[in-house]
Amino acid sequence: MDFFEHQIQAHRRTRLLLLLMGLAVLAISSSLYLVFSLLQGYTSEVFVFLGPVSFFKIFGGTLAVVLLASFGRTLILKRIGGQGVAEMLGGRLLSPQTDDEHERRLINVVEEMSIASGVPLPKIYVLDKELAINAFAAGYETNDAVVAVTRGTLEQLSRDELQGVIAHEYSHILNGDMNINLKLMGVLFGILLIALAGRFLLRISLYSRGRSRSRDAGSAKLVMVLLGVVLFIVGYLGHFFARLIQAAVSRQREFLADASAVQFTRNPEGIAGALQKIATVPTQSKLTHARAAEASHFYFGDGLRLNLGGWLSTHPPIAERIKRIDKNLLQKSAVEHTKAQGMPQTKGMAHAAGFAGVSQASLQKELPEPKDALATASVRPPDYQQADRMIGNLPPALIALAHEPFSACALLFSLLLSSEHELGRNQHSYLRQNFHPQIDEELAQLPSFGSLDAVQKITLIELAGGSLRHLSKEQQHRALQAVDWLVRSDGRINLLEVLLAHTMRRHLYSSACIKKGKGLSFAALLEECSVVFSVLAHAGSRERGAQQSAFDAGLAYLSQSQAKRSAQLHFIPPSEHSLSALGAALDVLSAADPNTARLIHHASYQVLMSDGKMNDAERVLFVALNQALGIPVPATAFNVPRVQS
């Protein structure tokens, strides 16, 4: 499966659907304009009415109300962030130090997905009162994202199935779906406001006390009633059709998220198993919270009990989702379900796979082979436990420290402290004065990092960086300032420092360095690509000839589709660039569009593997680059051996 291609296709389809949403808003404004024209006495000339003043008053006014209400609602949703959405639905923030077995497993899976997907570690919430199987990701950007799961998800799913569900939610974070969902919620509110205005007019006109003897007053009241009816009908009709479009947008994003879950885990049976368990009981994914409908398009499974026969369903049929993951899993899940029930497998068993009233034969007939078979084309051998092995290779004591926010800060600082006596003393003094007076005691308790290799340090930085999100905003700001000062304090910058500083910015200030939706093309990133490819080439060899050959390997890949642009890239000798320039280039590359991200990702891999191997410095650079691009780091970048139990 080409992850990037499906990402591009889904973005294209979503843009079309969002255009339809905009046209729906224009249609509502036009409808009100025509109706008001009729009410003003222009019945005979309604189709040729050219009154510009009325047009701007009615059409423009309606459009302005919808846009302003949508914008205001979106600002409110942005301010409360993903944390506010989770708490609105009764979520409880999960502590990294929890002793609950199911919650510990959830934390481990989320950490694995963060490393596998390149997404900053989100805050985790548990919906304790929800026994259904469901989950969601919410937030405006990656730095305020949360992942929430129900208690039923924790207790009913196996580890592989839980991993598939979490990978699905990570796709929504990675592909910007959360941002789209919040904007759609804002537009829906703006349209609904028209209907609410109509209901308000009806209420004050029909239920006002007393009767006026004035004929003009009676006419005014009649006009108010008519206006209220028009606003009420047009507003609710517009809201209904807008919800249809919203549901269609959500269904498209669900297919991409399912495909991405397979890409991340390399295990299609995990997410398919979770979907199968939902399918066995019609209400298995339904949430009970009073405000569950407000976030229905966020969920892993359909969370509502009423969706008008699927028209307002925010999720595709489970049978189709499983088939797009792997059509062979439909029959396999039917056999396994039958065995679990102790019943013989027969052709006419309509409920064998948990799809009520639908036989396997009719399923195959009704669901045509998808033209974009999302997940079966190139699923690689099961290596989805790579991230698990990366974490498992760390000493347990370091993992425990990385889970505690203050200790996590000390871990990151210690990777930057100098062994030189005078400089080290100045660094400790700075941390006491500008971060925390007791930081020396915390640093003194840390074990030595001398035995850790590059992959272990990369993993430790990622885990510790995620824990910093549990600090207050002021503490986060001071921690980032301290890291920047420590990086500059010795006058030298190494690759690990570049990765550490960039990782912290990703976790704490993603809006500053991960500009999702900006969509810069390859032509706009030529200088940054020159810097990154040159540094990658330098990391693989000290010989100028080998460096040039590695750089040319990346150009050869780019020339297949960007011959004219790639010719403008230039190799930069080590003496003419700095690692600070690399950090700045990574920040800019984070705004690349999906097509450009794919080109840079593959071209950089050609540079690194031009000599057939990848050293520690190259691994650090490749992780930092993929983090900036917001895409998964291939398992081949690490080749971590399995931990012996």
Side-chain angles (χ1 to χ4, degrees):
M1 179 190 66
D2 189 336
F3 166 77
F4 300 98
E5 184 61 32
H6 293 312
Q7 187 183 53
I8 293 167
Q9 290 177 6
H11 287 175
R12 188 180 300 121
R13 289 192 292 266
T14 300
R15 283 196 295 269
L16 175 61
L17 292 169
L18 290 175
L19 175 62
L20 292 176
M21 182 72 81
L23 292 176
V25 174
L26 294 177
I28 292 171
S29 301
S30 300
S31 299
L32 291 176
Y33 168 61
L34 293 175
V35 172
F36 288 168
S37 296
L38 286 169
L39 293 176
Q40 290 176 12
Y42 295 102
T43 308
S44 61
E45 306 134 46
V46 65
F47 295 108
V48 294
F49 178 62
L50 301 175
V53 175
S54 296
F55 175 83
F56 284 110
K57 283 183 178 179
I58 301 170
F59 180 90
T62 303
L63 185 61
V65 168
V66 173
L67 293 179
L68 288 174
S70 301
F71 181 71
R73 183 70 167 181
T74 302
L75 283 181
I76 293 174
L77 292 170
K78 181 178 180 180
R79 187 174 70 248
I80 68 174
Q83 180 175 332
V85 175
E87 293 174 353
M88 176 187 77
L89 296 174
R92 168 179 58 87
L93 181 62
L94 189 58
S95 169
Q97 291 82 37
T98 179
D99 294 326
D100 183 276
E101 179 182 354
H102 293 103
E103 295 175 357
R104 287 297 323 157
R105 183 180 66 172
L106 173 62
I107 291 175
N108 292 339
V109 169
V110 171
E111 289 175 343
E112 293 164 14
M113 283 298 101
S114 285
I115 293 173
S117 66
V119 172
L121 188 67
K123 289 183 178 179
I124 307 172
Y125 280 80
V126 176
L127 308 182
D128 290 308
K129 296 183 180 180
E130 301 289 354
L131 302 181
I133 298 176
N134 223 320
F136 66 86
Y140 199 76
E141 292 181 335
T142 55
N143 66 323
D144 82 325
V146 304
V147 169
V149 302
T150 62
R151 176 57 61 178
T153 299
L154 293 182
E155 296 179 351
Q156 297 184 53
L157 298 187
S158 68
R159 194 183 196 283
D160 282 355
E161 291 164 349
L162 178 63
Q163 191 177 50
V165 171
I166 297 302
H168 174 101
E169 299 307 325
Y170 263 69
S171 172
H172 287 311
I173 299 174
L174 185 63
N175 296 319
D177 294 348
M178 302 182 304
N179 196 321
I180 292 175
N181 286 336
L182 289 177
K183 289 179 179 178
L184 287 176
M185 289 176 70
V187 173
L188 283 171
F189 175 77
I191 296 174
L192 182 62
L193 192 63
I194 296 175
L196 296 177
R199 189 171 66 179
F200 176 75
L201 285 177
L202 285 174
R203 180 175 296 175
I204 63 174
S205 59
L206 294 178
Y207 297 100
S208 59
R209 295 183 178 181
R211 294 183 179 181
S212 174
R213 295 181 180 180
S214 169
R215 183 176 179 180
D216 291 339
S219 299
K221 186 173 183 179
L222 178 61
V223 171
M224 186 177 294
V225 171
L226 291 175
L227 288 178
V229 170
V230 170
L231 289 173
F232 184 84
I233 294 176
V234 173
Y236 271 112
L237 280 176
H239 186 260
F240 173 76
F241 285 109
R243 281 201 64 190
L244 289 179
I245 297 172
Q246 178 204 35
V249 171
S250 180
R251 289 194 293 271
Q252 289 294 332
R253 309 302 287 185
E254 290 303 312
F255 281 131
L256 174 62
D258 287 345
S260 298
V262 177
Q263 176 74 19
F264 295 160
T265 65
R266 282 80 172 182
N267 179 22
E269 294 187 10
I271 186 173
L275 290 169
Q276 173 58 29
K277 286 185 177 178
I278 291 176
T280 55
V281 180
T283 59
Q284 189 71 290
S285 63
K286 310 307 179 186
L287 301 187
T288 61
H289 196 278
R291 303 184 69 178
E294 296 182 39
S296 60
H297 51 298
F298 284 78
Y299 306 142
F300 172 74
D302 196 344
L304 301 182
R305 300 178 186 275
L306 179 65
N307 56 31
L308 296 184
W311 284 96
L312 293 180
S313 177
T314 54
H315 294 68
I318 289 181
E320 186 173 355
R321 291 176 68 179
I322 294 178
K323 185 172 182 178
R324 289 207 183 193
I325 293 169
D326 189 338
K327 62 181 180 181
N328 296 323
L329 291 177
L330 279 175
Q331 183 64 30
K332 181 177 180 181
S333 61
V335 173
E336 291 178 349
H337 181 73
T338 302
K339 289 180 178 179
Q341 298 296 324
M343 296 181 293
Q345 176 75 10
T346 63
K347 281 184 174 182
M349 197 175 296
H351 61 281
F355 308 117
V358 183
S359 67
Q360 290 297 313
S362 64
L363 266 176
Q364 298 295 338
K365 183 177 180 180
E366 293 175 8
L367 298 177
E369 183 68 22
K371 294 181 180 180
D372 53 341
L374 291 180
T376 58
S378 60
V379 175
R380 292 180 284 179
D383 60 353
Y384 64 94
Q385 293 180 339
Q386 176 69 54
D388 180 39
R389 296 199 293 272
M390 291 171 64
I391 296 174
N393 279 341
L394 283 173
L398 287 181
I399 296 178
L401 290 171
H403 284 156
E404 205 285 317
F406 189 69
S407 298
C409 287
L411 282 174
L412 296 176
F413 295 156
S414 64
L415 292 171
L416 303 174
L417 294 176
S418 174
S419 58
E420 300 177 11
H421 177 70
E422 187 64 26
L423 178 57
R425 189 175 65 177
N426 291 338
Q427 290 173 332
H428 279 267
S429 176
Y430 175 88
L431 291 176
R432 284 194 304 272
Q433 296 176 22
N434 296 278
F435 181 72
H436 198 281
Q438 276 80 48
I439 190 64
D440 279 345
E441 289 82 351
E442 192 70 31
L443 289 168
Q445 297 176 13
L446 297 179
S448 172
F449 297 144
S451 60
L452 297 184
D453 59 27
V455 174
Q456 290 174 311
K457 290 180 180 179
I458 291 171
T459 309
L460 187 63
I461 290 172
E462 192 67 31
L463 294 180
S467 296
L468 300 192
R469 294 191 60 192
H470 292 271
L471 297 172
S472 67
K473 291 296 182 183
E474 181 183 355
Q475 290 171 326
Q476 292 176 8
H477 181 66
R478 290 206 304 265
L480 189 58
Q481 280 188 323
V483 166
D484 287 339
W485 187 88
L486 290 174
V487 167
R488 298 191 309 269
S489 62
D490 60 357
R492 302 182 300 273
I493 301 177
N494 60 43
L495 293 177
L496 192 66
E497 291 174 341
V498 171
L499 175 64
L500 195 157
H502 189 73
T503 298
M504 287 191 65
R505 289 200 299 274
R506 284 174 59 248
H507 282 287
L508 304 182
Y509 298 103
S510 297
S511 59
C513 63
I514 299 182
K515 308 175 184 66
K516 289 296 181 187
K518 297 297 183 181
L520 294 184
S521 66
F522 182 74
L525 298 170
L526 296 177
E527 186 60 34
E528 287 74 21
C529 287
S530 294
V531 172
V532 170
F533 293 161
S534 296
V535 176
L536 290 173
H538 303 156
S541 176
R542 294 184 178 181
E543 298 180 4
R544 176 62 184 269
Q547 294 172 356
Q548 186 67 57
S549 296
F551 187 86
D552 292 342
L555 292 186
Y557 177 85
L558 292 171
S559 63
Q560 299 174 24
S561 59
Q562 298 283 336
K564 181 178 179 181
R565 299 295 184 185
S566 62
Q568 300 178 44
L569 298 181
H570 57 283
F571 178 75
I572 305 174
S575 59
E576 297 180 16
H577 74 80
S578 65
L579 289 178
S580 58
L582 171 65
L586 292 176
D587 287 348
V588 177
L589 288 178
S590 65
D593 62 41
N595 257 325
T596 302
R598 171 171 56 182
L599 285 173
I600 297 171
H601 167 81
H602 289 309
S604 64
Y605 190 73
Q606 297 301 317
V607 174
L608 292 172
M609 296 303 293
S610 62
D611 58 356
K613 60 182 184 297
M614 192 180 299
N615 60 36
D616 284 350
E618 291 173 313
R619 287 191 180 94
V620 172
L621 283 169
F622 197 47
V623 170
L625 175 60
N626 282 273
Q627 285 182 352
L629 296 174
I631 58 179
V633 181
T636 50
F638 299 105
N639 295 321
V640 179
R642 185 179 298 276
V643 178
Q644 298 298 323
S645 57

